[in-house]
Amino acid sequence: MRQQVDALRIKGSILVIKNGKIMLNYALGNNTDTSYLINSVQKSMTAAIVMRLVQEGKLSLQDKLSQFYPQIPGANKVKIKNLLAMTAGLDLKPGTKLGRKHFISDNDNIRCDAAKTIFEPRLLNKWHYSSLNYVYLCGIASQITKKSYERLFRQTYVKPLRLRQTEFLWSKPGKIIASHLVPGMIYRKGRYDVVKHKAALKDAHNELGAGSVVMSNHDLAKVIHYLLVGKLLTKKSRMLLYRAGPPAYYNGGFYNNNKLQTKTANGAGQGYYTFMRSTNNAQTILIIQSNKTREGEFDQLKGQINQIMLELLGRKARSANMFG
């Protein structure tokens, strides 16, 4: 197994748990407690925060986006369940990006996003990946609870699970240092260039709930276990949150493979990669994170890591596909 992982030539941290026991826990170039920006893997945590509100009766999967953001095009047709599954038919106007040039607040960013949002009726109930869906989910959760997304995240995960290497990228320097974050790097023209913190910070604010948290492998494994088998959600809530269909089988921040009984999440951006694979019962988990990335290699690595997960499961590569 280690030879297969090392063959990926990834510089970062590797954690493999099989049947509930740590099989591999090592690092190449960093440390086992190094933290990384997890990017889109954070969506699974945002989804569970929203599903907890549904579970508590404060929100319904059938509620319309218009109840919270009536100014968004198509909001009277888009439901909470659509946002969670990336089937809302929403996207940004061509040539625009999430957030604004100079960050003011989460609410200001969302208002700015709403003004740039377009609704494609033909894509409603069809899978179309966009972080915009999860940014709006953050705003909805904040409206209902009267708490910031960051506060909700800390109360839901950081405090109860006693996460030690988890922080928001915009946290104070002392907290970032304590989280053991390493800078993200991108390979260009024969060398690794460090991504400027200012640029990464802007992106983290704009990707609220979808790419603003740094975590170590150990902390991430704790959260994945909490999401899939912990007390945060009931069995019924998890069944609803992760119910998914073709083509991507995406819902609740995961690509859900019913045949293999696995969940997949990937994150990439600002010089970081995060790859997470887990069985539905969280007994077998594979997490690989890196802060040294190369343009064009992400999809290739995803496929190779899928094959390693299949080996962990004792399944042949041709037996089923790993989605995501």
Side-chain angles (χ1 to χ4, degrees):
M1 179 61 61
R2 172 150 186 172
Q3 289 178 338
Q4 287 180 295
V5 175
D6 289 351
L8 300 173
R9 300 178 68 184
I10 285 179
K11 299 298 182 183
S13 305
I14 296 93
L15 176 64
V16 180
I17 298 171
K18 186 170 184 178
N19 298 326
K21 296 181 179 180
I22 294 177
M23 181 178 179
L24 290 174
N25 183 28
Y26 70 103
L28 298 169
N30 294 318
N31 298 302
T32 56
D33 64 352
T34 293
S35 69
Y36 306 80
L37 183 66
I38 66 171
N39 288 291
S40 290
V41 176
Q42 186 183 342
K43 290 184 175 79
S44 62
M45 302 162 204
T46 300
I49 288 173
V50 171
M51 195 66 208
R52 182 66 179 265
L53 294 174
V54 174
Q55 185 173 289
E56 293 171 345
K58 298 175 182 177
L59 182 68
S60 168
L61 293 175
Q62 300 300 321
D63 284 346
K64 302 287 183 63
L65 178 59
S66 56
Q67 293 178 227
F68 306 94
Y69 295 105
Q71 73 273 34
I72 294 175
N76 62 331
K77 297 181 180 180
V78 175
K79 299 177 180 180
I80 300 300
K81 69 173 187 178
N82 293 126
L83 296 172
L84 288 165
M86 300 279 189
T87 60
L90 300 177
D91 211 337
L92 293 173
K93 294 176 182 177
T96 64
K97 297 180 180 180
L98 287 168
R100 66 163 68 243
K101 186 174 182 179
H102 300 292
F103 176 76
I104 297 174
S105 68
D106 293 342
N107 288 335
D108 177 73
N109 259 11
I110 292 175
R111 284 194 295 270
C112 187
D113 291 336
K116 295 181 287 188
T117 296
I118 57 175
F119 173 62
E120 295 283 357
R122 63 184 178 82
L123 293 179
L124 182 63
N125 295 316
K126 294 182 179 180
W127 191 70
H128 176 67
Y129 192 93
S130 173
S131 291
L132 185 63
N133 295 274
Y134 275 68
V135 171
Y136 287 145
L137 286 171
C138 290
I140 291 168
S142 291
Q143 283 191 40
I144 293 172
T145 62
K146 309 302 181 185
K147 297 176 183 178
S148 70
Y149 173 79
E150 179 178 349
R151 186 178 174 188
L152 284 171
F153 188 95
R154 291 186 183 279
Q155 289 181 344
T156 305
Y157 303 112
V158 179
K159 187 175 180 179
L161 299 180
R162 297 180 182 179
L163 304 181
R164 299 193 177 189
Q165 281 86 45
T166 298
E167 275 299 335
F168 280 79
L169 195 62
W170 54 73
S171 296
K172 293 180 179 180
K175 290 186 175 182
I176 290 294
I177 292 171
S179 75
H180 302 166
L181 177 68
V182 288
M185 303 182 192
I186 301 176
Y187 190 82
R188 300 188 183 102
K189 297 180 180 180
R191 69 175 189 180
Y192 281 102
D193 292 331
V194 175
V195 176
K196 293 182 180 179
H197 183 70
K198 185 177 181 180
L201 191 61
K202 179 181 182 297
D203 192 62
H205 278 301
N206 294 344
E207 295 272 350
L208 179 69
S212 52
V213 166
V214 308
M215 302 184 83
S216 65
N217 283 358
H218 180 71
D219 280 5
L220 180 53
K222 263 190 175 183
V223 172
I224 294 301
H225 189 276
Y226 190 46
L227 294 179
L228 299 183
V229 296
K231 295 181 179 180
L232 178 65
L233 298 175
T234 63
K235 185 177 180 180
K236 179 182 178 181
S237 292
R238 285 193 290 268
M239 180 189 71
L240 291 171
L241 182 59
Y242 303 133
R243 179 184 293 166
Y249 293 87
Y250 183 96
N251 205 356
F254 291 125
Y255 295 91
N256 302 274
N257 189 311
N258 295 329
K259 187 170 184 179
L260 290 177
Q261 291 293 295
T262 58
K263 306 237 177 298
T264 296
N266 305 294
Q270 304 304 316
Y272 298 95
Y273 290 153
T274 298
F275 302 98
M276 194 292 301
R277 311 285 183 267
S278 176
T279 51
N280 287 351
N281 62 6
Q283 284 296 293
T284 296
I285 299 175
L286 168 63
I287 297 174
I288 298 176
Q289 298 203 79
S290 174
N291 67 313
K292 290 187 176 181
T293 66
R294 292 172 180 254
E295 293 179 357
E297 70 175 353
F298 184 64
D299 287 338
Q300 179 183 353
L301 286 172
K302 281 198 301 183
Q304 291 172 328
I305 291 169
N306 287 345
Q307 298 307 314
I308 293 173
M309 183 63 179
L310 284 169
E311 290 286 338
L312 268 176
L313 298 175
R315 304 290 291 268
K316 293 182 179 179
R318 63 177 181 272
S319 66
N321 293 319
M322 292 288 293
F323 296 97

